[in-house]
């Protein structure tokens, strides 16, 4: 505990010094003229979003001088995307592929911090399940649980079906949320298969509820499923927000960099200890194992790698008619400008 208090104090001191040396209109963290609250919404408690939970729990938004109002829809990223497009929230914690979807609809939704560099998704089935990925046709007639329609878990299933020329209406897609609620749906027989993230994946194996059939949490697993890494959780906003409030966006980027650094430098047990009960599914020991299982998906500094963004674009083109028929400019779906400014504002705090 003393070590963490000391680390937080040192980071705060670094930010204070950066504010003195970087004050101005360049949008860098600590420039400090934009102190209006920012509404941030998150779609689920899945571990891909862990850096946001850590930033919130450890008070990093306060430390960078930004007031945030948070809301957790707990219904999947598609609900958060709807709120953002409707201007009911300012910033969303959602999945990168949604920015591609929105560009196909001529809406400029832009990722400005990459939290998770890889999928983190698994497909799990009951112990007595009949689906065998080596025989793709055996998925027909199955009830498949996803976080929500239009979510990245939905895309995962549609990608599998498209790869094997199987009609979507040959299965039933059912929104079951994430975490313990999703696991309960599998355990109670409401669904035959579940596509979800940690902590659900770890809870399934720990409780012997079912078995992991397809695992895209590792880089190797993602390449087998998607043909490449599949960036997922990001902070994204409408381009109009980023244009109007660059200082706020940079402060968000800095707070997330602090959270990513905390995840990289601490044990899974210490990471879980930092979280309030509301963010923890199941008991804390099991949740810590889920954090360790998911650790490889997180970025170190929030930067997007342009080449990796080609993977979700290729996946969406398989089944999304809007994306397939639109010339997508990936450079308009993300920006590294704010993480660059945040890094420049506090160089001493970088790895």
């Amino acid at each position: 505990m003393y070590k963490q208090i000391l680390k937080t104090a040192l980071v705060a001191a670094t930010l204070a010094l950066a504010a003195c040396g970087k004050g101005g209109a360049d949008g860098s963290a600590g420039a400090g003229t934009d102190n209006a609250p920012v509404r941030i919404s998150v779609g689920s408690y899945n571990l891909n979003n862990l850096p946001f939970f850590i930033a919130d729990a450890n008070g990093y938004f306060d430390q960078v001088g930004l007031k945030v109002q948070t809301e957790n829809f707990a219904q999947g990223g598609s609900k958060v995307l709807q709120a953002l497009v409707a201007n009911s929230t300012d910033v969303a914690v959602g999945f990168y592929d949604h920015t591609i979807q929105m560009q196909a609809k001529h809406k400029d939704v832009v990722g400005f911090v990459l939290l998770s560099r890889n999928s983190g998704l698994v497909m799990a089935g009951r112990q007595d399940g009949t689906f065998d990925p080596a025989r793709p046709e055996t998925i027909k007639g199955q009830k498949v649980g996803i976080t929500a329609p239009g979510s990245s878990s939905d895309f995962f299933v549609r990608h599998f079906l498209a790869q094997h020329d199987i009609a979507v209406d040959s299965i039933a897609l059912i929104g079951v949320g994430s975490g313990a609620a999703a696991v309960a749906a599998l355990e109670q027989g409401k669904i035959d298969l579940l596509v979800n993230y940690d902590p659900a994946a770890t809870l399934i194996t720990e409780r012997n509820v079912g078995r992991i059939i397809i695992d895209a949490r590792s880089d190797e697993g993602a390449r087998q499923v998607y043909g490449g890494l599949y960036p997922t959780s990001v902070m994204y906003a409408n381009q109009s927000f980023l244009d109007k409030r660059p200082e706020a966006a940079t402060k968000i980027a800095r707070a997330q960099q602090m959270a990513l650094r905390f995840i990289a430098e601490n044990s899974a047990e210490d990471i879980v200890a930092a979280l309030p009960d509301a963010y923890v599914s199941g008991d804390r020991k099991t949740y810590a194992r889920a954090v360790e299982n998911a650790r490889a998906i997180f970025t170190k500094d929030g930067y997007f790698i342009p080449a990796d963004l080609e993977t979700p674009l290729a996946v969406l083109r398989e089944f999304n008619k809007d994306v397939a028929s639109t010339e997508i400019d990936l450079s308009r779906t993300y920006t590294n400008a704010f993480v660059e400014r945040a890094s420049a504002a506090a160089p001493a705090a970088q790895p």
Side-chain angles (χ1 to χ4, degrees):
M1 179 63 72
Y2 174 77
K3 178 181 179 182
Q4 178 54 36
I5 292 172
L6 179 60
K7 182 181 296 183
T8 301
L10 287 172
V11 171
T14 298
L15 287 167
L17 288 172
C20 294
K22 290 282 181 180
D26 64 351
S28 57
T33 59
D34 184 354
N35 296 314
V38 175
R39 300 168 299 172
I40 302 180
S41 297
V42 60
S44 72
Y45 290 115
N46 73 61
L47 275 178
N48 297 59
N49 299 330
L50 179 63
F52 173 74
F53 302 144
I54 288 294
D56 187 36
N58 281 359
Y60 294 153
F61 295 114
D62 290 336
Q63 288 184 34
V64 299
L66 187 69
K67 297 177 182 177
V68 300
Q69 300 169 352
T70 64
E71 180 177 9
N72 193 321
F73 284 72
Q75 296 177 20
S78 56
K79 298 296 183 181
V80 170
L81 179 62
Q82 292 171 16
L84 185 80
V85 172
N87 290 314
S88 298
T89 194
D90 299 312
V91 175
V93 188
F95 277 21
Y96 168 73
D97 46 24
H98 293 150
T99 70
I100 299 174
Q101 276 186 296
M102 289 298 98
Q103 189 179 131
K105 296 179 181 295
H106 309 292
K107 296 183 183 295
D108 287 325
V109 175
V110 181
F112 64 99
V113 187
L114 179 61
L115 306 180
S116 298
R117 53 184 285 278
N118 202 7
S119 164
L121 275 167
V122 304
M123 177 183 281
R126 299 200 310 268
Q127 297 288 8
D128 60 352
T130 59
F131 170 61
D132 178 1
R135 294 185 296 127
E137 69 279 2
T138 58
I139 199 171
K140 293 180 179 180
Q142 303 276 300
K143 294 178 290 184
V144 184
I146 55 176
T147 58
S151 66
S152 294
S153 55
D154 186 356
F155 301 162
F156 180 104
V157 180
R158 292 175 186 272
H159 169 61
F160 179 86
L161 297 175
Q163 278 189 314
H164 301 288
D165 197 25
I166 298 172
V168 175
D169 60 8
S170 66
I171 65 170
L173 287 167
I174 302 171
V176 295
S178 59
V183 176
L186 184 67
E187 187 172 23
Q188 294 164 12
K190 295 179 180 178
I191 54 176
D192 304 304
L193 299 169
L194 174 64
V195 177
N196 223 279
Y197 312 83
D198 268 314
T202 298
L203 289 172
I204 287 168
T205 54
E206 290 283 335
R207 296 176 180 177
N208 201 31
V209 170
R211 55 195 174 88
I212 304 299
I213 301 171
I214 301 174
D215 193 339
R217 287 176 291 186
S218 68
D219 288 10
E220 179 184 0
R223 291 189 178 99
Q224 290 176 352
V225 173
Y226 299 110
L229 298 189
Y230 195 104
T232 52
S233 187
V234 302
M235 309 296 293
Y236 62 64
N238 291 310
Q239 182 64 56
S240 57
F241 173 85
L242 299 178
D243 291 340
K244 183 179 179 180
R245 303 193 61 185
E247 291 179 14
T250 303
K251 289 177 180 179
I252 291 170
R254 184 69 202 112
Q256 292 298 171
Q257 286 180 328
M258 294 162 68
L260 289 165
R261 186 179 179 91
F262 179 87
I263 292 170
E265 293 185 348
N266 286 272
S267 68
E269 290 75 17
D270 287 344
I271 292 168
V272 175
L275 297 171
D277 289 342
Y279 289 149
V280 178
S281 295
D283 66 272
R284 287 181 176 265
K285 287 185 178 180
T286 301
Y287 196 82
R289 286 192 283 274
V291 169
E292 192 59 41
N293 289 338
R295 187 187 289 276
I297 71 174
F298 301 115
T299 71
K300 302 298 183 186
D301 49 22
Y303 281 83
F304 291 85
I305 298 175
D308 291 344
L309 308 184
E310 296 285 350
T311 303
L313 175 59
V315 169
L316 286 174
R317 279 180 169 158
E318 293 176 338
F319 55 82
N320 186 304
K321 293 180 180 179
D322 290 337
V323 174
S325 62
T326 304
E327 187 67 31
I328 300 295
D329 181 358
L330 289 177
S331 69
R332 292 175 54 198
T333 64
Y334 79 100
T335 177
N336 280 324
F338 300 100
V339 292
E340 288 171 354
R341 294 177 191 177
S343 297
Q350 297 305 301

